[in-house]
């Protein structure tokens, strides 16, 4: 079906004429033309010219089981034939939503036993924002309205999600952040650690949460939201001192903890959830992406017994038409079955992650690579002209990262850049042989990027 398409140039022209791309400079893309992906299998994408590309990003961090799993397509087709849609608003329910909620309650840590379904990560965080404020209203503490989050965190791009996130480029457009959201600094030691050791710095950045709570007044704070490991911010793995100190502060002031597991959930960090990897106890967990391996959109807010018991006490005036969509829930259930029964999470964690870690960390021998960070199957490298001083390039941040990304793309490797960090998050099903190809192409691309950077004098 997808092999029989218009020539690439015509598709690109139509794309430019009618299709508006997210997070893209439309005119710039129109000039060079989008790369058109026509099919995929395992970790491999095929484009409209027949080139095979190693997808080291699993799409947008989501295709955890890899591409081309017919089981997921079959389940979707069967569900569409049996019950393609029904809502869960008006005292009705259906089997896929019930069974998926039960399954999520089983695999989610602690007392996270209740699921509110959404359509994406962004609108899950909008749900969470309204839910934590409403929770405190019901508890007779309506003044707990403030939510604290972090600069350079990512929680989506809706009004709520974009406000909770700390991306200045998002805040600059459309009147964000909305009221009652406050940001503290991120635990990015490489860029912002100065003379402190990583451990000292982690502690210091965690203590900013306490300072912010005291500044706002502890009785006005509803919740803190964070990703266990920042994803879109550049795969920032926090120093080991960070989360224990955050835990202490959350407990001391009795505020709610929303853990955004949209990337870190479903095996990405070596456990089922990043909360387990980082030793965190969420009151609410945000899920999307890997919940269906990206085969179909679905988001979920998984909440604690305590929150559910309060929210369930009256009508929560919130919900989306596609909440708990039967086809999406059926696909998620099958996806989780594959992750579990084929031991994909365990294999990725025990076999692939250590192998990838060794090769990834060895990239620091490249002249342009400062630190290499990796947890489970999400990793980043920091590009720098001087490793000892952690210096920045003589060009606006992201210039060198972009050059490197372009070289990767030309070498048929999808590796993203965030500023001057390069990031990977491959399907959990990547093999050791494919890891070798990933690293080989990454090195080649780094070499080519360095050549160009030297030619342009950006590294002095
Ligand atoms: C992608 C992402 C989101 C937003 O999810 P969408 O499905 O794109 O709306 C939220 N939080 C994190 C941590 C993400 O990576």
């Amino acid at each position: 079906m997808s092999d029989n398409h218009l020539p690439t140039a015509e598709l690109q022209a139509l794309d430019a004429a009618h299709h508006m791309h997210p997070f893209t400079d439309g005119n710039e893309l129109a000039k060079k033309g989008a790369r058109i992906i026509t099919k995929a299998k395992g970790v491999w994408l095929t484009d409209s010219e027949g080139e095979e590309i190693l997808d080291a990003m699993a799409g947008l961090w989501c295709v955890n089981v890899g591409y081309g799993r017919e089981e997921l397509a079959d389940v979707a087709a069967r569900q569409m034939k049996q019950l393609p849609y029904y809502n869960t608003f008006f005292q009705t329910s259906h089997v896929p939503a019930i069974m998926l909620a039960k399954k999520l309650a089983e695999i989610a840590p602690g007392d996270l036993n209740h699921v509110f379904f959404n359509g994406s990560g962004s609108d899950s965080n909008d749900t969470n924002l309204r839910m934590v404020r409403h929770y405190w209203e019901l508890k007779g503490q309506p003044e707990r309205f403030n939510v604290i989050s972090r600069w350079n965190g990512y929680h989506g791009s809706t009004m709520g999600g974009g406000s909770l996130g700390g991306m200045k480029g998002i805040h600059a457009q459309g009147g964000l952040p909305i009221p009652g959201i406050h940001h503290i600094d991120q635990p990015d030691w490489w860029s912002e650690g100065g003379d402190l050791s990583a451990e000292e710095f982690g502690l210091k950045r965690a203590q900013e949460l306490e300072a912010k709570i005291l500044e706002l007044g502890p009785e006005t704070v509803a919740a803190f939201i964070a990703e266990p490991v920042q994803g879109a911010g550049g795969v920032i793995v926090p120093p080991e001192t960070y989360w224990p100190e955050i835990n202490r502060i959350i407990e001391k002031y009795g505020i709610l903890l929303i853990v955004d597991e949209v990337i870190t959930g479903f095996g990405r960090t070596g456990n089922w959830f990043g909360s387990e990897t980082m030793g965190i106890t969420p009151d609410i967990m945000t899920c999307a992406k890997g919940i269906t391996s990206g085969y179909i959109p679905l988001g979920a807010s998984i909440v604690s017994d305590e929150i559910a018991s309060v929210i369930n006490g009256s009508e929560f005036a919130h919900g989306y038409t596609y909440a708990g969509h039967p086809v999406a829930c059926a696909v998620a259930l099958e996806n989780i079955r594959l992750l579990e029964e084929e031991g994909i999470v365990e294999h990725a964690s025990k076999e692939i992650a250590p192998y990838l870690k060794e090769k990834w960390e060895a990239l620091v021998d490249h002249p342009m690579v400062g630190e290499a960070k990796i947890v489970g199957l999400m990793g980043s490298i920091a590009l720098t002209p001087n490793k000892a001083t952690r210096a920045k390039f003589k060009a606006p941040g992201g210039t060198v990262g972009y050059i490197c990304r372009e070289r990767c793309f030309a070498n048929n490797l999808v590796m993203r850049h965030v500023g001057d960090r390069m990031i990977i998050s491959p399907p959990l099903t990547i093999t050791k042989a494919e890891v070798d190809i990933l690293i080989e192409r990454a090195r080649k691309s780094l070499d080519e990027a360095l050549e160009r950077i030297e030619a342009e004098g950006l590294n002095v």
Side-chain angles (χ1 to χ4, degrees), residues 201-412:
F201 177 74
L203 213 52
K204 183 161 176 258
R205 283 289 156 100
Q207 284 161 358
E208 281 194 23
L209 175 60
E210 186 156 32
K212 183 60 84 179
I213 291 170
L214 293 172
E215 175 197 322
L216 295 167
E219 69 292 345
T220 73
V221 179
F224 174 60
I225 180 169
E227 305 152 81
V229 177
Q230 285 156 266
V235 185
I236 310 298
V237 184
E240 280 177 10
T241 47
Y242 184 76
W243 275 111
E245 182 67 359
I246 294 282
N247 285 342
R248 181 190 70 76
I249 296 162
I250 295 282
E251 202 154 308
K252 178 170 176 190
Y253 296 97
I255 64 174
L256 299 174
L257 177 60
I258 307 168
V259 180
D260 188 337
E261 295 259 13
V262 170
I263 288 174
T264 52
F266 302 92
R268 176 59 53 199
T269 67
N271 292 293
W272 274 82
F273 295 99
S275 294
E276 293 153 328
T277 306
M278 292 291 147
I280 319 169
T281 309
D283 297 294
I284 300 184
M285 213 161 73
T286 319
C287 296
K289 294 190 173 127
I291 194 171
T292 58
S293 284
Y295 279 57
I296 196 164
L298 181 70
S301 302
I302 312 181
V303 318
S304 68
D305 291 338
E306 157 68 12
I307 293 182
S309 75
V310 172
I311 295 293
N312 284 339
S314 60
E315 180 185 327
F316 181 33
H318 179 76
Y320 310 109
T321 299
Y322 301 122
H325 193 287
V327 180
C329 289
V331 170
L333 268 170
E334 182 67 3
N335 175 58
I336 294 168
R337 189 187 71 75
L338 294 178
L339 289 170
E340 256 184 350
E341 288 182 15
E342 296 186 357
I344 293 173
V345 173
E346 204 180 330
H347 179 76
S349 164
K350 298 226 163 82
E351 293 295 323
I352 303 301
Y355 187 78
L356 175 62
K357 183 179 161 75
E358 192 191 322
K359 308 243 160 186
W360 188 252
E361 289 180 343
L363 288 173
V364 292
D365 67 16
H366 191 276
M368 197 164 57
V369 175
E371 70 166 3
K373 286 285 184 186
I374 189 155
V375 50
L377 262 60
M378 64 194 291
S380 61
I381 48 178
L383 305 181
T384 176
N386 186 331
K387 303 180 193 210
T389 61
R390 313 206 298 270
K392 300 201 185 330
F393 293 97
K394 250 187 13 189
T399 308
V400 168
Y402 185 77
I403 292 171
C404 190
R405 189 195 83 168
E406 291 296 281
R407 292 323 308 155
C408 290
F409 213 27
N411 289 319
N412 285 343

Side-chain angles (χ1 to χ4, degrees), residues 44 54-57 356 360 363 408 413-415 424-427 430-445:
W44 297 97
L54 197 163
D55 184 7
M57 284 305 300
L356 175 62
W360 188 252
L363 288 173
C408 290
L413 170 68
V414 176
M415 174 156 79
I424 55 161
S425 169
I430 191 169
T431 63
K432 289 182 182 173
E434 288 162 342
V435 166
D436 292 343
I437 299 173
L438 190 169
I439 296 292
E440 184 189 305
R441 291 187 184 177
R443 276 194 187 276
K444 179 167 190 275
S445 306

